[in-house]
Amino acid sequence: MIEVEVKARAKKDTQEKVAALGAKPLMVENHHDLYFNSPLRDFKVSDEALRIRIKEEGARLTYKGPKLDRETKSRLEWTVKIDDPLQMEQILLGLGFELSAEVRKRRTKYSFEDIVIALDEVEGLGSFLEAEAVGDDANWEMQRGRVLSVLTRLGLDEPIRSSYLELLEEKRNCQTHAQID
Amino acid sequence: MIEVEVKARAKKDTQEKVAALGAKPLMVENHHDLYFNSPLRDFKVSDEALRIRIKEEGARLTYKGPKLDRETKSRLEWTVKIDDPLQMEQILLGLGFELSAEVRKRRTKYSFEDIVIALDEVEGLGSFLEAEAVGDDANWEMQRGRVLSVLTRLGLDEPIRSSYLELLEEKRNCQTHAQID
């Protein structure tokens, strides 16, 4: 499976425009994400991610491979439901992985055709919109065009390829620089 | 949690003796186990194990740390239920782990006080008995004494510390030597 995903900073009128597009509200979720780094290679450099996501309905372990192109966040993704995130964390620590960051957000999900639109309020970062579709080797470039066009129709024309994890790190670095200046 | 476990090769009368001990039959399970090795350190040398176990009732991912003593197979163990063993395998392969072996067995489980006794028919190896209890830092040595005494009462006085994985490898190595001779 290929996850085809674009992201942009949301504007004041983004929620209105999502409704005007005809997207159907699905649910609101609270995410608590634990990110791990590998002892073998730095995932920041290799562009991979290993995450435990804890939601009200349960938890998942997800591995994301490096991005497949330069415009979107499309990548190979594998995921399993797990019954106990604390045991999963202990397994990863035992195997040599390190907890590198935690991200908390409130996500409002909409469906539009076969695309999932998410409006995210990220603790410490602000509001973002993500549009996501799934594809395979044969059709992921077409799916990429479709999610990019959703962004354009919402008036959000600056896609961000950085993850929330990377954005939080950038913010932290800037704050450190500001303190030094 | 500390897994306190002993194992021995079963004899012809072992099943009878387990019944005579008053152990209560629990269930019969078919196990298909996938073992993985780490790209970081050889688990054969570091005495660790990473396993996906697939049973009729569902699958689990388990990590076992190095053994804590010389007589039993007691060790730290962490485990989670997973909904999709194939996705879990893909995650482990993506992270750099390698599938090192597969073990299939039929396990008949009994309970005796707070000890679980398992009679295993292992494909390619034969019959074994395992006795297992859980302990913590404070009581695991006492639990170790209790599982060892079960073995003695069943007339099995040669505990084996090797895993089925190690026994299968030893067997393979011996067959290779026999062919060379």
Side-chain angles (χ1 to χ4, degrees):
Chain A
M1 195 197 79
I2 299 173
E3 179 194 38
V4 183
E5 187 183 300
V6 290
K7 173 157 73 185
R9 199 166 266 282
K11 298 179 182 172
K12 274 188 185 168
D13 62 352
T14 300
Q15 190 150 20
E16 266 171 54
K17 283 193 169 171
V18 170
L21 191 72
K24 192 180 127 198
L26 290 178
M27 67 190 86
V28 178
E29 294 173 342
N30 291 299
H31 294 179
H32 175 196
D33 293 342
L34 307 178
Y35 285 91
F36 293 85
N37 205 352
S38 167
L40 199 65
R41 52 189 185 259
D42 186 350
F43 281 171
K44 253 187 273 182
V45 178
S46 64
D47 187 26
E48 295 164 277
L50 180 63
R51 180 188 74 197
I52 296 174
R53 168 163 292 173
I54 304 164
K55 299 200 281 191
E56 289 91 338
E57 66 179 58
R60 282 177 177 274
L61 175 74
T62 299
Y63 166 75
K64 300 185 180 206
K67 296 187 192 75
L68 298 172
D69 69 4
R70 292 171 157 268
E71 286 148 359
T72 69
K73 297 174 75 247
S74 314
R75 43 167 96 232
L76 279 172
E77 178 174 321
W78 305 101
T79 192
V80 281
K81 280 190 196 165
I82 54 175
D83 72 329
D84 188 334
L86 287 178
Q87 291 269 330
M88 191 69 240
E89 186 178 354
Q90 290 299 332
I91 292 174
L92 294 178
L93 297 175
L95 293 172
F97 291 85
E98 282 183 5
L99 179 65
S100 53
E102 297 190 48
V103 180
R104 288 169 198 269
K105 66 173 174 289
R106 184 176 173 81
R107 166 167 287 181
T108 310
K109 273 168 125 174
Y110 301 82
S111 80
F112 176 66
E113 293 162 5
D114 61 340
I115 296 169
V116 174
I117 296 175
L119 264 170
D120 289 341
E121 291 292 327
V122 187
E123 206 172 282
L125 279 182
S127 301
F128 295 81
L129 180 133
E130 286 193 349
E132 183 181 324
V134 293
D136 53 32
D137 285 345
N139 75 353
W140 78 270
E141 295 206 333
M142 186 198 73
Q143 293 290 66
R144 185 182 63 166
R146 294 183 62 238
V147 294
L148 282 169
S149 97
V150 164
L151 223 61
T152 310
R153 289 170 70 180
L154 294 172
L156 306 172
D157 33 16
E158 284 181 53
I160 300 171
R161 290 182 80 238
S162 306
S163 64
Y164 294 133
L165 185 59
E166 288 162 339
L167 294 173
L168 281 168
E169 264 162 22
E170 280 170 28
K171 192 186 165 190
R172 213 166 14 238
N173 291 340
C174 293
Q175 283 169 341
T176 312
H177 280 294
Q179 280 165 6
I180 293 166
D181 295 346
Chain B
M1 194 195 81
I2 299 174
E3 180 195 34
V4 183
E5 188 183 298
V6 288
K7 175 157 72 184
R9 200 167 265 282
K11 299 179 182 171
K12 274 188 185 168
D13 62 354
T14 299
Q15 190 150 19
E16 267 172 55
K17 284 195 169 169
V18 170
L21 192 70
K24 192 179 128 201
L26 290 178
M27 68 190 87
V28 178
E29 295 173 343
N30 290 298
H31 295 179
H32 175 196
D33 293 342
L34 307 177
Y35 285 90
F36 293 84
N37 206 350
S38 167
L40 200 66
R41 52 188 184 258
D42 186 350
F43 282 172
K44 252 187 273 182
V45 178
S46 64
D47 187 27
E48 294 164 276
L50 180 63
R51 178 188 75 197
I52 297 174
R53 168 164 292 172
I54 305 164
K55 299 199 282 191
E56 289 92 338
E57 66 179 56
R60 282 178 178 273
L61 175 74
T62 299
Y63 165 75
K64 299 185 181 206
K67 295 186 193 76
L68 298 173
D69 70 5
R70 290 171 158 271
E71 288 148 0
T72 69
K73 295 174 77 247
S74 314
R75 43 167 97 233
L76 279 171
E77 178 174 322
W78 304 99
T79 192
V80 280
K81 280 191 194 163
I82 53 175
D83 71 328
D84 188 332
L86 287 178
Q87 291 269 330
M88 191 70 240
E89 186 178 356
Q90 289 299 332
I91 291 174
L92 294 178
L93 298 176
L95 292 172
F97 291 84
E98 283 182 7
L99 179 66
S100 53
E102 297 191 47
V103 179
R104 289 169 198 269
K105 66 173 174 289
R106 184 176 172 81
R107 166 166 287 181
T108 310
K109 272 169 124 173
Y110 301 84
S111 79
F112 176 67
E113 295 160 5
D114 61 341
I115 297 170
V116 174
I117 296 175
L119 264 171
D120 289 341
E121 290 292 327
V122 187
E123 206 172 281
L125 279 182
S127 302
F128 296 81
L129 180 132
E130 285 193 351
E132 184 182 323
V134 293
D136 53 33
D137 285 345
N139 75 353
W140 77 272
E141 295 205 334
M142 185 197 75
Q143 292 291 66
R144 185 182 63 166
R146 294 184 61 236
V147 295
L148 281 169
S149 96
V150 165
L151 223 61
T152 310
R153 288 170 70 180
L154 295 171
L156 306 171
D157 33 16
E158 283 182 53
I160 300 171
R161 290 182 80 237
S162 306
S163 65
Y164 294 133
L165 185 59
E166 289 162 339
L167 294 173
L168 280 167
E169 262 161 24
E170 280 170 26
K171 191 185 167 192
R172 216 168 12 240
N173 291 342
C174 292
Q175 283 170 339
T176 312
H177 280 294
Q179 279 166 6
I180 293 169
D181 296 346

